[in-house]
Amino acid sequence: MKFVTAILRPHQLDDVREALSEAGVSGITVTEVKGFGRQKGHTEMYRGAEYQIDFLPKIKLEIAISASKLGDVIEAITNVANTGKVGDGKIFVSNLEKVVRIRTGETDQDAL
């Protein structure tokens, strides 16, 4: 089993969710986060004053999947989220040791 964490631009969420659904993902967790990478934020004007925005709004997706779906999930996210510009985001993949469905007590693959 694998645990996929993806950091994306907020406006890409609906398209990525749809692509993941088509790839066979049955559930995701979405969190609104702030951060920066190579983008290093940006400057904006408000009422004539210029100010620096260091942390940009992002969306964090967390997905628990079977190892066999990993390639499809990565492909679905990258195909939709890739604009070719700095700030498109990142995908992190880690091993998932144990999953337990609280309601039924099912474990591992059965709990996904």
Side-chain angles (χ1 to χ4, degrees):
M1 296 175 300
K2 300 292 182 182
F3 191 69
V4 177
T5 303
I7 308 296
L8 310 169
R9 297 174 191 263
H11 68 274
Q12 297 170 321
L13 177 59
D14 290 335
D15 293 337
V16 170
R17 183 193 54 79
E18 192 174 302
L20 288 170
S21 180
E22 290 172 8
V25 173
S26 59
I28 63 174
T29 300
V30 178
T31 310
E32 293 180 6
V33 296
K34 291 184 177 188
F36 71 91
R38 290 188 179 158
Q39 259 180 309
K40 304 287 188 216
H42 65 277
T43 349
E44 285 190 5
M45 293 287 285
Y46 180 71
R47 294 187 175 183
E50 189 175 284
Y51 64 98
Q52 179 72 21
I53 297 178
D54 293 325
F55 293 98
L56 301 171
K58 298 289 182 179
I59 294 293
K60 178 181 178 182
L61 300 180
E62 296 173 312
I63 311 160
I65 55 168
S66 63
S68 62
K69 289 186 180 179
L70 181 61
D72 294 337
V73 167
I74 290 174
E75 184 178 349
I77 295 170
T78 55
N79 285 345
V80 174
N82 182 7
T83 66
K85 299 177 183 173
V86 173
D88 278 348
K90 292 237 176 15
I91 299 173
F92 305 96
V93 179
S94 54
N95 289 321
L96 194 54
E97 285 186 37
K98 186 100 176 141
V99 177
V100 178
R101 184 180 309 239
I102 295 172
R103 178 177 53 88
T104 61
E106 294 171 300
T107 60
D108 301 331
Q109 292 292 334
D110 295 333
L112 292 177

